[in-house]
Amino acid sequence: MSDINTRIENIRKGITKRAAAMKAKVQKQGFQFKPFSTKQKKVLTWWCPASPVKDMDGIIADGAIRSGKTLSMSLSYVFWAMDTYNLQIFGMAGKTIASFRRNVIFWLKLMLKSRGYTVIDHRGDDHYLIISKGNKTNYFYIFGGNNERSQDLVQGITAAGFFFDEVALMPQSFVNQATGRCSVEGSKYFFNCNPGDPKHFFKTDWIDQNGEKNLIYLHFTMDDNLSLSEKIKNRYRSMYKGVFYKRYILGEWCVAEGLVYSMFDEEKHVKDKHIEGAKEWVVSIDYGTVNPFAAGLWAFDGRHAQKEYEYYYDSKETGIRRDDETHYQEICKLIGDRKVSFIIVDPSAASFIETIKKHGDYMAKGAENDVLDGIRVQTTFLNRGIISYYKDCEATINEYGLYSWDMESPEDAVIKEFDHCMDSDRYYCYTFLRRRLRWRY
């Protein structure tokens, strides 16, 4: 176990070292701007004094991934704020502060410094930027809008503007509270996002009512990002199918319907040979007592993962419930004499995690249980042929043909049946495999 921990720590140190080197290189060279597309130029200039739409109260940019929305929106937001105000407070928000810093702030700071701005970045209880140029200085507070409690973070603030990155991932209460804080004369809103369900509040209350709310609306595609080559655009197109292709590549607000993993193909994804040269073994588990208990043993060769064996027990079929100890012994049989890095378990299965820890034979790890993000990652791995299944994993193969979106739900959700192997596989893909592959999507 100590060898595994040492190896993991060395990998982390290596990633950190390479990231620091890349950051130093970029900072030394400065940000290299690419030509802006027509829509990016509209985003950058709509508020300027000569613009015919300068009196609009804000702008919405939605559409495909990698379409250049975030870069142009974040830069335009700061340019507008610094051109219009001095010594004012502004808000900036992402789903989380960490994701906003990674996706927006890192690049925004480089762009601003290359244009002669001074940026002081404060981290701590309050996350904010002090941006200065000439005789003007303004303050930009950073928020995470990831749950209903997030609205409390912006209460009391008086803002001259607010920028929302990936606003469709935020709760309505946060968006309403944040926009309601913009009471300074001339304040404006900047929104960008990838599409979701057409019944989503941001689609119905903001995009569909952009005229009533005095907002500009621009729809982006990957062709609006002139820095992307056709090769790169084709690579992104190959990553998604079904609802995610429509949303992320075509930029459509569409309903999630039918099979979740419609791209699953037994001829492509089911193998009659075990994987060769496995470098790492991991078990993933969706725990159940009344509901089925589903576990899979995965082999990973450094580039590809295959579910080699499964354990599936449904007490409703047998009429006999198995306790945690019995399930644990079955997992031991599944593993055999293989050296397993850890066992990923449904984080709500506290009693089974304690059973694993009590025996001390394996390391237990709580799964990262973001359903929609996990489905996106697993979808991409299926599309790219990164995961496969040995032919004896019959329960898993069967569920792929049954696991469906809930058409009656007001938001993206799956039907909670025929989902136990699917949950187990999602835990593996999202908690383990994407990190081993350093996957970003």
Side-chain angles (χ1 to χ4, degrees):
M1 193 65 68
S2 61
D3 292 340
I4 294 172
N5 291 335
T6 300
R7 184 170 63 183
I8 292 173
E9 184 60 30
N10 288 338
I11 291 173
R12 287 174 177 168
K13 288 181 179 178
I15 293 172
T16 301
K17 185 176 180 180
R18 285 191 291 274
M22 183 188 77
K23 181 178 179 180
K25 181 179 179 181
V26 172
Q27 289 176 331
K28 182 179 179 180
Q29 294 178 345
F31 187 85
Q32 301 297 313
F33 282 93
K34 302 292 184 182
F36 289 111
S37 67
T38 299
K39 285 182 183 173
Q40 287 178 316
K41 290 176 181 177
K42 288 181 179 179
V43 169
L44 287 165
T45 61
W46 70 273
W47 49 267
C48 294
S51 168
V53 292
K54 63 181 183 299
D55 293 327
M56 301 294 277
D57 290 330
I59 185 170
I60 299 170
D62 75 350
I65 61 171
R66 313 306 304 162
S67 57
K69 303 184 300 295
T70 300
L71 183 146
S72 54
M73 287 285 279
S74 61
L75 194 59
S76 178
Y77 180 63
V78 174
F79 283 175
W80 161 75
M82 297 302 296
D83 186 79
T84 310
Y85 296 98
N86 185 37
L87 299 178
Q88 288 288 351
I89 291 175
F90 298 84
M92 308 173 78
K95 181 179 180 181
T96 67
I97 291 176
S99 66
F100 189 80
R101 282 190 168 279
R102 181 178 64 248
N103 300 334
V104 180
I105 295 299
F106 175 79
W107 301 107
L108 179 60
K109 286 163 63 176
L110 293 176
M111 290 189 292
L112 292 174
K113 289 178 181 178
S114 73
R115 288 295 181 264
Y117 289 82
T118 299
V119 182
I120 300 174
D121 189 351
H122 284 261
R123 298 170 181 259
D125 293 336
D126 285 330
H127 288 257
Y128 62 97
L129 305 177
I130 302 176
I131 300 178
S132 302
K133 188 174 185 180
N135 61 355
K136 288 187 176 181
T137 297
N138 287 296
Y139 304 85
F140 297 78
Y141 281 81
I142 305 168
F143 300 93
N146 61 338
N147 57 49
E148 294 295 337
R149 296 190 302 273
S150 299
Q151 64 173 321
D152 300 340
L153 302 175
V154 294
Q155 286 187 352
I157 189 175
T158 300
F162 225 104
F163 168 51
F164 302 84
D165 181 56
E166 294 299 349
V167 65
L169 300 180
M170 301 174 190
Q172 184 174 10
S173 59
F174 175 79
V175 176
N176 290 345
Q177 184 67 239
T179 52
R181 310 317 302 175
C182 297
S183 56
V184 175
E185 186 68 27
S187 57
K188 297 184 186 296
Y189 315 130
F190 287 63
F191 302 96
N192 74 261
C193 65
N194 299 128
D197 190 290
K199 298 185 293 292
H200 192 286
F201 83 87
F202 190 71
K203 174 68 165 61
T204 59
D205 294 358
W206 291 87
I207 292 178
D208 292 348
Q209 298 183 38
N210 68 85
E212 294 88 334
K213 292 183 181 291
N214 199 36
L215 301 173
I216 301 166
Y217 171 62
L218 295 174
H219 182 75
F220 277 69
T221 70
M222 285 192 289
D223 292 333
D224 294 310
N225 185 351
L226 301 184
S227 68
L228 293 184
S229 67
E230 285 302 316
K231 180 179 179 181
I232 292 296
K233 285 187 280 190
N234 286 333
R235 185 174 75 183
Y236 279 111
R237 293 180 184 117
S238 72
M239 289 170 59
Y240 302 100
K241 285 192 176 180
V243 64
F244 297 120
Y245 183 87
K246 291 180 180 178
R247 291 180 182 177
Y248 296 154
I249 304 304
L250 301 181
E252 297 178 0
W253 292 80
C254 59
V255 175
E257 57 183 339
L259 293 177
V260 173
Y261 299 115
S262 59
M263 73 295 302
F264 179 78
D265 182 346
E266 288 194 35
E267 290 188 6
K268 176 181 178 181
H269 297 110
V270 178
K271 310 296 182 181
D272 59 5
K273 292 183 179 180
H274 294 293
I275 199 168
E276 295 181 1
K279 296 181 179 180
E280 198 164 7
W281 295 87
V282 171
V283 174
S284 61
I285 295 174
D286 184 53
Y287 176 84
T289 52
V290 177
N291 292 320
F293 185 109
L297 176 65
W298 291 84
F300 176 56
D301 66 5
R303 301 181 65 182
H304 175 261
Q306 182 162 297
K307 191 175 187 178
E308 299 283 23
Y309 302 99
E310 67 179 9
Y311 163 63
Y312 185 88
Y313 186 80
D314 187 351
S315 63
K316 293 178 182 177
E317 291 185 359
T318 65
I320 302 172
R321 292 190 188 181
R322 288 181 173 176
D323 59 17
D324 287 348
E325 185 61 33
T326 304
H327 283 310
Y328 177 79
Q329 295 304 323
E330 292 296 330
I331 296 301
C332 291
K333 293 177 185 178
L334 186 74
I335 294 171
D337 59 0
R338 300 174 184 85
K339 188 176 182 181
V340 169
S341 297
F342 43 78
I343 300 175
I344 303 170
V345 187
D346 177 350
S348 66
S351 64
F352 192 71
I353 292 173
E354 285 304 312
T355 298
I356 297 173
K357 292 180 178 179
K358 178 186 70 175
H359 283 274
D361 298 318
Y362 308 105
M363 180 188 298
K365 182 180 181 66
E368 296 182 45
N369 193 21
D370 189 313
V371 177
L372 291 181
D373 275 350
I375 289 174
R376 291 175 192 134
V377 171
Q378 190 168 334
T379 295
T380 300
F381 288 166
L382 287 166
N383 284 335
R384 304 300 292 273
I386 291 172
I387 59 174
S388 60
Y389 297 85
Y390 185 61
K391 62 182 180 181
D392 288 350
C393 297
E394 295 179 358
T396 304
I397 296 168
N398 182 58
E399 280 194 9
Y400 265 115
L402 299 170
Y403 189 50
S404 301
W405 294 106
D406 185 354
M407 295 290 291
E408 302 301 320
S409 175
E411 57 188 22
D412 289 341
V414 292
I415 298 174
K416 293 301 294 176
E417 59 181 359
F418 310 117
D419 62 344
H420 307 287
C421 295
M422 297 294 94
D423 286 351
S424 168
D425 292 3
R426 173 167 51 81
Y427 298 154
Y428 175 77
C429 291
Y430 195 63
T431 306
F432 170 79
L433 190 56
R434 73 181 176 104
R435 297 190 180 279
R436 281 295 185 269
L437 297 174
R438 300 173 195 167
W439 190 264
R440 284 194 171 184
Y441 60 96

